[in-house]
Amino acid sequence: MKVAVFSTKSYDRTFLEAANAGGQHELVFFEPRLNLETSVLAAGFPAVCAFVNDCLDAPTLRAIAQNGVRLLALRSAGFNHVDLAAARDLDLTLLRVPAYSPYAVAEHAVAMILSLNRKIHRAYNRVREGNFALDGLLGFDLHGKTVGIVGTGKIGALTAKILHGFGCRLLGYDVFHNPDCLALGMEYVSLAELFANSDIVSLHCPLLPETYHLINVGAIEQMKPGIMLINTSRGQLIDTKAVTKGLKSGKISYLGLDVYEQETDLFFEDLSDRVIQDDVFQRLLTFPNVLITGHQAFFTEEALKNIAETTIGNITDFEQGRTCPNQIDLSELKK
């Protein structure tokens, strides 16, 4: 198939071309993100390949469908950025990558915990400047601390497994009680109980209407003073303004973010020579106890290889008329 691949960086091209060895599909790479303005680039393509920060709202989907697109292949597990009802009404087939490397995200979440706790990011800068003083770098033993895992699917369960190795007590919140987590000794509790008893809270749940701004003023009020909050899942799980107030009051002592609710205009781009206009994000950067990475938790060789191979496999399934196990069922959406 002829595929328009949007939001591409050099690494996307490298791994997708390797997965497409032999040229079974004609991949045409576009650096711009897909939105209504750039949708004209998809003209003449039966398939579009999109990433997490592409704008796949109703106007954009209508535009690409009018240009002949029939397949929307996502290079991501999440699809909250897609107007599903519009995709259904336009008879678009929607495919995704349900899992690529849960280890990558789980390990990054734990790396953020360790970095924030032991102030690795601050110590690194000090030593480079010849400052070897330890004042302000005091951490704590992870052993014996209570960690609340919100969402205990593949990534949450692996995060729990790693932290279990540190000797942490594990609390979990999920509608489904994962047997692997129970085997680790995880205790499933209500969200309020998890917030009240955890020293560290790590978010690993999907973005749904009921999880939007899961971390808000009320949730923060329920948390233990001095909480460490980690989010490697979806930016909109957190009300950033509420968390900022929590940082200012001292209720939140550590914040690690790999995602941000308004990240679309920031992440995956080099903005080092520009003034960032997002005042809320800029305020976060002023806190010494905040660590932000630019949506890189997934970014390992293994994950990119799996994403590329699954994406090419999905497109091949569609082209050859086979049932694809990674298709998102749009038939049951409310009209």
Side-chain angles (χ1 to χ4, degrees):
M1 292 188 74
K2 189 177 180 182
V3 185
V5 187
F6 284 86
S7 294
T8 55
K9 304 297 183 186
S10 60
Y11 44 83
D12 295 306
R13 183 165 189 155
T14 296
F15 284 90
L16 283 169
E17 286 181 339
N20 191 43
Q24 55 184 320
H25 301 292
E26 181 183 348
L27 306 180
V28 180
F29 297 95
F30 297 103
E31 289 188 17
R33 292 173 179 166
L34 176 58
N35 54 38
L36 183 58
E37 184 179 347
T38 61
S39 62
V40 65
L41 295 173
F45 290 86
V48 156
C49 183
F51 196 46
V52 291
N53 283 338
D54 288 309
C55 178
L56 302 172
D57 57 9
T60 303
L61 294 181
R62 281 194 294 269
I64 63 174
Q66 290 169 1
N67 283 330
V69 172
R70 296 179 290 118
L71 171 65
L72 187 57
L74 302 178
R75 306 194 303 279
S76 61
F79 48 90
N80 54 278
H81 56 310
V82 182
D83 188 318
L84 299 180
R88 177 203 59 201
D89 295 343
L90 293 164
D91 199 26
L92 292 172
T93 298
L94 188 58
L95 308 177
R96 67 179 182 129
V97 182
Y100 31 91
S101 175
Y103 299 98
V105 182
E107 290 169 7
H108 192 83
V110 176
M112 297 194 89
I113 291 171
L114 292 169
S115 295
L116 280 165
N117 173 25
R118 304 307 299 268
K119 307 348 184 248
I120 301 297
H121 54 305
R122 298 180 65 190
Y124 171 80
N125 288 323
R126 282 192 188 185
V127 169
R128 287 177 63 85
E129 295 173 357
N131 180 356
F132 304 100
L134 299 183
D135 304 87
L137 301 181
L138 187 66
F140 56 82
D141 288 353
L142 270 180
H143 182 85
K145 296 299 184 291
T146 299
V147 182
I149 306 290
V150 182
T152 57
K154 290 182 179 179
I155 297 173
L158 284 171
T159 304
K161 184 177 181 180
I162 297 170
L163 292 168
H164 179 262
F166 279 93
C168 295
R169 176 192 175 211
L170 299 172
L171 299 180
Y173 175 80
D174 202 311
V175 294
F176 173 73
H177 293 188
N178 190 326
D180 292 337
C181 293
L182 291 171
L184 295 173
M186 175 179 282
E187 179 185 356
Y188 279 91
V189 296
S190 69
L191 203 54
E193 288 179 272
L194 185 145
F195 289 150
N197 292 287
S198 297
D199 302 296
I200 301 167
V201 171
S202 190
L203 304 180
H204 299 284
C205 52
L207 178 62
L208 303 168
E210 54 268 31
T211 61
Y212 176 80
H213 280 184
L214 182 72
I215 306 301
N216 52 31
V217 171
I220 294 169
E221 288 176 349
Q222 296 173 351
M223 293 178 182
K224 289 177 66 173
I227 191 80
M228 178 188 290
L229 179 61
I230 305 292
N231 187 11
T232 55
S233 186
R234 290 289 180 266
Q236 291 169 308
L237 297 175
I238 286 180
D239 180 343
T240 312
K241 292 183 179 179
V243 166
T244 301
K245 290 180 181 177
L247 288 164
K248 291 173 66 177
S249 70
K251 186 66 175 287
I252 299 173
S253 290
Y254 313 83
L255 177 66
L257 301 178
D258 185 58
V259 288
Y260 170 61
E261 61 178 325
Q262 301 296 332
E263 71 178 55
T264 303
D265 295 327
L266 298 174
F267 289 0
F268 306 113
E269 305 298 336
D270 181 0
L271 305 179
S272 57
D273 61 347
R274 306 181 198 176
V275 175
I276 294 176
Q277 299 299 318
D278 188 330
D279 292 340
V280 175
F281 185 79
Q282 290 288 68
R283 182 72 180 93
L284 282 178
L285 294 178
T286 66
F287 292 97
N289 53 345
V290 172
L291 177 61
I292 300 176
T293 53
H295 206 137
Q296 74 174 79
F298 79 101
F299 198 61
T300 64
E301 290 184 13
E302 292 82 358
L304 289 180
K305 183 175 183 287
N306 291 337
I307 289 170
E309 290 179 350
T310 302
T311 298
I312 295 300
N314 288 345
I315 295 169
T316 301
D317 283 345
F318 178 83
E319 181 191 38
Q320 298 184 1
R322 294 194 297 257
T323 299
C324 180
N326 301 321
Q327 181 170 344
I328 298 169
D329 186 3
L330 304 176
S331 63
E332 297 184 359
L333 290 175
K334 292 182 180 179
K335 297 260 185 177

